[in-house]
Amino acid sequence: MFQTVLNALNQGFLLTLALFLVTLAGALPLGLLVSFGSMSRFRPLRYVMRTIVWIFRGSPLLLQLFIIFYVPGELDHNIWAFSSGRFWAAATAFILNYACYFSEIYRGGIESIPRGQDEAGLVLGMTKQQIFFKVKFMQLVRRIVPPISNEIITLVKDTSLANSIALAEVIWAGKKFMKSDGLVWPLFFTILYYLAFTGLLTLFFGWLEKKLSYYSV
Amino acid sequence: MAMLEVSHMEKRFGNTEVLKDISFSLEKGQSLAIIGSSGSGKTTLLRSLNFLETPDAGTITVDGQLLLDAAVRTKASDKEIRKKRLRFGLVFQNFNLFPQYTALENVMLASQLLAKERPDYRQNRREILEQIRTRGVELLTQVGLQDRLDNYPHQLSGGQQQRVAIARALALDPDILCFDEPTSALDPELTGEVLKVIRSLAERNMTMIIVTHEMAFARDVADQIIFMDGGVIVEQGPARQVIEHPVQERTRRFLSRYQGQS
């Protein structure tokens, strides 16, 4: 029995992991675009972006997940009616939500880099793109690793919300044994997956922070 | 012909006139010191020359080529502005080194990026990068930092950082090198080493504009001095004359505050 549970939980955890990775792959770059938008000198764009950020940060992720998953069906355009539709509905909600959180971290990071760095780049004939990628990007990365790692660890746990739209992630896999076999412990057992995963991430980010502190500002 | 000619430059921030009818010229190989109290407009003047501020009126001509005519309101492309900027180099009060790069990398970075625009970059990549490196080492040696190539800015003293910044500005071979109070952020015991480097550049006939509060240095190193107050040029002339025999009452009053300073 233990082996059966373990296999089922492993299956579920793979989906958790996939959701986690897809969310990061989408939200980390999208967040950068959102942060540029929310710092734009073009006022309408800035206001629109800040409103979007407010909506996604100001309402429960669970609710966003429901809206994104169910509203298309209610409108008779169920875009999620394919085999991995639940997964992509969840991924969409997570990417949008986390992009907004990340964008604020990026914005704080970018705005904290002294103006003198831009000016030094400009008088050396660099383009704005070169200044961003060659001068400011590494300084930005260094400044945002601590707050971003915090969000990323939160994301690991937030993926469990996807079981509310019946995505068979690890908690869903654990809960199933309550109904089918009257077993409670598989659900509780899933905590070990989360702890192991967040533990590894904590170690990784600790290492990364150290690695990036070869210079000081 | 003058290396640099600035005529009738004006700049205002909101309702404050920061530069009023600024005109001067500078011969090739000469150095010009700009003195004056804080808020007199000297930093804004320097920033305008480096295209960090856009003047509201006036022209800038370098080596006979009109770089900027504020009356012409066509928006220059980024590429043109970048090209024009390279006629000038600027050394900042706060150095503004890139903290994540070593001294040598700081000096090489802009040259490396510019080299990518060369048509022969792909074929001769290795040689070009080797040349840039050689030049970087040469410049850092020139400012006395040959032992500090691989140090990060935070591992260097303020004076050393400023010398890296000077080498970095020289790497792009500007026609005119500008200094914005290069020693103001330094402890007194560190200013000497930076001034020594600037002095050696003057001896090599680098065309320079130096905004400074070091009166003795301005007198000894600069060929010309401009005294600014309230956004206007109050007095300009040969360095020794302006410092030792100022004509204008305002210049005299300003200089008297520096008396006793050797």
Side-chain angles (χ1 to χ4, degrees):
Chain A
M1 190 67 215
F2 184 72
Q3 197 55 52
T4 319
V5 170
L6 215 55
N7 286 341
L9 293 186
N10 286 343
Q11 280 291 318
F13 186 68
L14 278 182
L15 211 52
T16 297
L17 196 61
L19 184 56
F20 171 80
L21 292 175
V22 167
T23 302
L24 284 189
L28 286 171
L30 182 62
L32 197 57
L33 290 180
V34 175
S35 77
F36 287 147
S38 65
M39 289 185 292
S40 169
R41 268 187 291 178
F42 180 56
R43 224 178 266 179
L45 177 64
R46 193 170 71 226
Y47 288 156
V48 167
M49 281 309 186
R50 295 203 175 180
T51 307
I52 292 174
V53 170
W54 166 61
I55 291 171
F56 278 98
R57 294 205 313 162
S59 64
L61 176 54
L62 181 65
L63 205 51
Q64 294 162 19
L65 192 58
F66 283 146
I67 290 171
I68 285 170
F69 183 60
Y70 290 118
V71 165
E74 294 294 311
L75 298 174
D76 283 331
H77 283 290
N78 193 359
I79 52 173
W80 310 117
F82 54 98
S83 64
S84 55
R86 284 171 202 281
F87 177 83
W88 290 106
T92 304
F94 279 85
I95 287 172
L96 293 175
N97 182 278
Y98 271 83
C100 288
Y101 273 99
F102 291 155
S103 80
E104 287 295 282
I105 295 175
Y106 292 143
R107 187 162 72 87
I110 292 170
E111 285 174 349
S112 73
I113 296 174
R115 178 93 189 104
Q117 293 287 303
D118 290 88
E119 294 184 344
L122 286 174
V123 298
L124 290 167
M126 295 184 199
T127 63
K128 292 210 165 95
Q129 289 79 0
Q130 288 172 338
I131 293 173
F132 183 77
F133 288 107
K134 294 288 178 180
V135 174
K136 294 183 352 177
F137 190 73
M138 279 309 288
Q139 300 181 48
L140 176 65
V141 168
R142 197 189 133 131
R143 276 161 212 247
I144 63 176
V145 162
I148 287 272
S149 63
N150 224 352
E151 285 302 321
I152 288 178
I153 283 169
T154 305
L155 171 63
V156 174
K157 298 170 286 170
D158 274 356
T159 54
S160 64
L161 291 172
N163 94 76
S164 61
I165 58 165
L167 182 74
E169 44 70 70
V170 66
I171 289 193
W172 181 269
K175 265 200 314 201
K176 239 178 33 188
F177 288 97
M178 285 212 276
K179 289 190 200 129
S180 58
D181 303 85
L183 290 177
V184 189
W185 69 264
L187 174 61
F188 299 157
F189 190 79
T190 59
I191 195 175
L192 295 181
Y193 286 84
Y194 287 105
L195 289 177
F197 192 30
T198 52
L200 281 176
L201 284 175
T202 306
L203 291 177
F204 168 72
F205 285 120
W207 169 82
L208 188 62
E209 259 180 69
K210 225 176 176 174
K211 183 106 181 138
L212 287 173
S213 58
Y214 63 89
Y215 71 89
S216 74
V217 190
Chain B
M1 195 199 307
M3 188 67 183
L4 171 68
E5 228 177 299
V6 173
S7 63
H8 307 296
M9 188 187 275
E10 314 254 341
K11 174 73 186 171
R12 50 171 67 239
F13 291 123
N15 286 327
T16 327
E17 277 189 273
V18 196
L19 297 177
K20 292 174 220 163
D21 198 21
I22 301 289
S23 298
F24 67 92
S25 65
L26 180 61
E27 297 298 317
K28 189 176 164 70
Q30 299 240 302
S31 48
L32 165 72
I34 304 179
I35 59 174
S37 44
S38 316
S40 59
K42 45 197 196 326
T43 292
T44 307
L45 173 57
L46 214 54
R47 289 171 60 85
S48 299
L49 293 177
N50 283 276
F51 293 83
L52 290 176
E53 307 286 354
T54 319
D56 298 314
T59 60
I60 300 173
T61 311
V62 173
D63 213 1
Q65 190 201 342
L66 183 70
L67 283 200
L68 179 99
D69 183 351
V72 182
R73 278 287 162 195
T74 49
K75 205 155 156 69
S77 73
D78 266 7
K79 204 174 169 157
E80 283 172 56
I81 293 183
R82 280 204 300 135
K83 237 178 107 189
K84 291 173 176 176
R85 250 190 192 126
L86 291 178
R87 309 298 294 264
F88 293 90
L90 177 59
V91 174
F92 298 87
Q93 186 177 349
N94 302 314
F95 333 135
N96 291 338
L97 292 179
F98 307 133
Q100 75 272 36
Y101 293 121
T102 63
L104 183 58
E105 287 166 344
N106 264 279
V107 175
M108 295 189 303
L109 181 65
S111 306
Q112 288 167 338
L113 295 174
L114 273 176
K116 286 186 186 168
E117 293 173 23
R118 282 169 59 164
D120 61 338
Y121 182 70
R122 298 189 91 165
Q123 294 129 285
N124 308 330
R125 190 167 170 272
R126 194 179 280 266
E127 291 152 53
I128 291 174
L129 291 181
E130 194 48 47
Q131 278 168 12
I132 291 173
R133 198 190 146 80
T134 310
R135 175 89 174 121
V137 173
E138 203 178 279
L139 285 167
L140 283 170
T141 308
Q142 190 184 328
V143 298
L145 292 173
Q146 59 280 4
D147 302 329
R148 298 294 194 161
L149 303 180
D150 298 322
N151 283 117
Y152 289 97
H154 78 274
Q155 296 167 321
L156 302 172
S157 71
Q160 289 169 331
Q161 289 189 49
Q162 191 61 300
R163 287 189 276 154
V164 174
I166 293 172
R168 182 175 71 172
L170 286 170
L172 295 174
D173 291 318
D175 293 323
I176 300 155
L177 186 54
C178 303
F179 294 86
D180 184 13
E181 302 190 22
T183 58
S184 293
L186 297 175
D187 294 335
E189 66 265 31
L190 297 178
T191 59
E193 63 188 65
V194 172
L195 295 181
K196 205 175 117 199
V197 169
I198 301 176
R199 193 184 293 258
S200 77
L201 290 172
E203 281 158 12
R204 288 163 172 244
N205 291 324
M206 179 84 208
T207 313
M208 296 190 287
I209 301 177
I210 309 155
V211 167
T212 185
H213 289 297
E214 305 277 340
M215 295 308 142
F217 177 75
R219 181 194 60 205
D220 297 342
V221 173
D223 300 294
Q224 298 283 317
I225 285 187
I226 283 178
F227 168 63
M228 286 181 71
D229 192 28
V232 297
I233 294 180
V234 175
E235 183 160 354
Q236 57 180 315
R240 211 158 265 284
Q241 181 198 306
V242 173
I243 298 282
E244 286 168 4
H245 309 288
V247 180
Q248 300 293 328
E249 176 54 31
R250 272 198 281 179
T251 318
R252 247 176 263 152
R253 233 181 303 139
F254 172 76
L255 287 170
S256 70
R257 275 185 275 146
Y258 283 89
Q259 247 157 30
Q261 183 196 328
S262 58

